[in-house]
Amino acid sequence: QICLSLVKLLFYLAHSPLGSIVLLDFQPRQFVMVDGNLKVTDMDDASTEELSCREDKDCTLDFPTKSFPLKCSAVGKCEGINEKKNLFNAYRYFFTYLLPHSAPPALRPFLGDILNATGDLRYGINETLKAFEKVLHLYKSGLYLQKRPLLLKDYISLKGFRTVEGEDYKCWPSYSHLGCLLSVHSAEEAAAICNSQSQCQSFIVTQQRTWTGRPLASFQSSLTDLIPDANAVVYIKRSTSSGERL
């Protein structure tokens, strides 16, 4: 969410009515999330000036670990230097820390491609936004889920009940510090996640939604403290121990 919002912001800056705007003091502390959107807190160090040049060798974009040769345009300006400077700063301050870690495994190669392409400045902001929107579509639609054996049949569904919220085993990247609360596309994906975690014995797909509209599923290691809830369903592993408890 943070990276996509940042890319949308940089897309606007690259195509603003004032021309391409560069953020000269590009640091994480310069941004804040407001209602799910990333905002710049200080525009004092923003500029529409693009580096003047006479030939291509005047247009090197230098960073502490990398340098990029750019073209000198016919009007004597380094082509796209503001856009590329913003994008590489987004890569080194945000993408490298946030993109590789919390996505479903099937989506990580797509995010790796974005990371590599922005790190080498092979993508401009238009291509970067398009790539992010493709990943978002795959994520929201569930199309990233590869064909796999149906696992929900290995679970007993107990309708009209839910588990009491409380401290349980931890997982990453959980939406709750008390237990294992993860975004899922469906109960079928939740079953696959539960199967992959040795502690998990049951789960419930909650009414909570993430910013993409996906529900959150709560995974538990025990079946204690079930309480009535007409809108809920608890899914329990069909194991001998589970059968005995039921």
Side-chain angles (χ1 to χ4, degrees), residues 132-151:
F132 266 100
E133 288 177 337
K134 177 184 177 180
V135 175
L136 179 63
H137 172 67
L138 294 173
Y139 184 61
K140 291 173 70 173
S141 65
L143 290 172
Y144 68 92
L145 293 168
Q146 299 171 345
K147 289 184 178 179
R148 63 182 75 180
L150 297 178
L151 300 174

Side-chain angles (χ1 to χ4, degrees), residues 33-101:
M33 289 292 284
V34 180
D35 296 328
N37 294 306
L38 206 67
K39 306 284 187 181
V40 184
T41 60
D42 184 3
M43 292 294 288
D44 288 347
D45 293 309
S47 173
T48 58
E49 290 296 319
E50 292 195 306
L51 187 64
S52 297
C53 57
R54 292 186 177 180
E55 49 190 333
D56 290 349
K57 70 177 183 180
D58 298 328
C59 293
T60 301
L61 183 56
D62 288 315
F63 292 96
T65 58
K66 280 190 176 182
S67 295
F68 300 95
L70 304 180
K71 296 290 185 182
C72 183
S73 71
V75 294
K77 297 290 183 181
C78 296
E79 288 184 359
I81 192 167
N82 288 352
E83 172 188 331
K84 292 179 185 297
K85 187 171 185 179
N86 284 341
L87 190 54
F88 190 79
N89 278 327
Y91 159 81
R92 66 180 183 140
Y93 287 119
F94 287 88
F95 297 172
T96 54
Y97 298 105
L98 300 178
L99 283 187
H101 306 297

